């Protein structure tokens, strides 16, 4: 069983907040990731800007950051678990992306969540070229969830 934490940094939890965790469980199951621990923090551009500046030395906001832990440990029952890490998503950048790419907030939210999971899975991309293997896998996974609704105004 996967363990997922969802938190809201300096912003109130929206009504759609409870739909994030079930979506993540479904994606992790599709990727055959079990006994994973991960967290997702939703924030504003100011918060993610500071993280980006501190940890990536990039002095600007971004849409999603992934902090891969990659540690295995035995839980109190002796089961082997995987501490995947943390995904941080800026709702300000989510909105900007949706507008810039002419997609719904729901579609962009799913994209950023899947993107974060793929990074925590050890994947990476050198640029944002759609031909990058990670980004192709991301879009393939998203194709499985066209009807999934997380974000609702």
């Amino acid at each position: 069983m996967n363990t997922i934490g969802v938190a809201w940094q300096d912003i109130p939890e929206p009504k759609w907040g409870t739909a994030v965790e079930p979506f993540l469980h479904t994606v992790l199951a599709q990727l055959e990731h079990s006994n994973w621990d991960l967290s997702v923090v939703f924030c504003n551009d100011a918060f993610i800007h500071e993280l980006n500046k501190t940890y990536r030395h990039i002095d600007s906001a971004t849409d999603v950051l992934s902090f891969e832990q990659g540690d295995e440990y035995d839980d109190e029952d002796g089961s082997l678990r995987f501490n995947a890490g943390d995904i941080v998503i800026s709702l300000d950048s989510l909105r900007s992306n949706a507008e810039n790419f002419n997609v719904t907030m729901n579609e962009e939210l799913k994209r950023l969540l899947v993107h974060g999971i793929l990074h925590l899975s050890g994947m990476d991309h050198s640029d944002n070229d759609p031909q990058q293997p990670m980004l192709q896998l991301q879009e393939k996974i998203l194709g499985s969830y066209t009807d999934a609704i997380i974000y609702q105004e």
Side-chain angles (χ1 to χ4, degrees), residues 43-50 60-62 90-94 96:
C43 63
N44 57 31
D45 272 355
F47 184 80
I48 207 165
H49 181 160
E50 281 303 311
S60 64
T62 189
S90 167
L91 293 182
D92 295 331
S93 291
L94 168 70
S96 296

Side-chain angles (χ1 to χ4, degrees), residues 125-142:
H125 52 99
S126 58
D127 58 33
N128 289 324
D129 182 335
Q131 297 307 310
Q132 292 277 331
M134 178 185 155
L135 301 180
Q136 288 195 345
L137 177 58
Q138 169 187 291
E139 295 307 307
K140 180 180 177 187
I141 292 167
L142 287 170

Side-chain angles (χ1 to χ4, degrees), residues 20-57:
V20 172
E21 189 176 331
F23 177 77
L24 291 170
H25 279 291
T26 302
V27 173
L28 290 172
Q30 178 184 0
L31 293 171
E32 298 180 357
H33 293 326
S34 59
N35 293 333
W36 267 40
D37 299 334
L38 70 89
S39 70
V40 179
V41 176
F42 290 95
C43 63
N44 57 31
D45 272 355
F47 184 80
I48 207 165
H49 181 160
E50 281 303 311
L51 292 177
N52 209 21
K53 184 176 176 183
T54 301
Y55 295 103
R56 296 181 64 222
H57 310 291

Side-chain angles (χ1 to χ4, degrees), residues 61-94:
T62 189
D63 50 6
V64 59
L65 291 173
S66 298
F67 296 95
E68 185 179 350
Q69 296 295 316
D71 303 324
E72 290 185 332
Y73 68 96
D74 292 318
D75 69 8
E76 61 277 352
D77 298 328
S79 298
L80 186 63
R81 299 206 51 87
F82 181 70
N83 181 12
D86 308 304
I87 300 168
V88 182
I89 295 175
S90 167
L91 293 182
D92 295 331
S93 291
L94 168 70

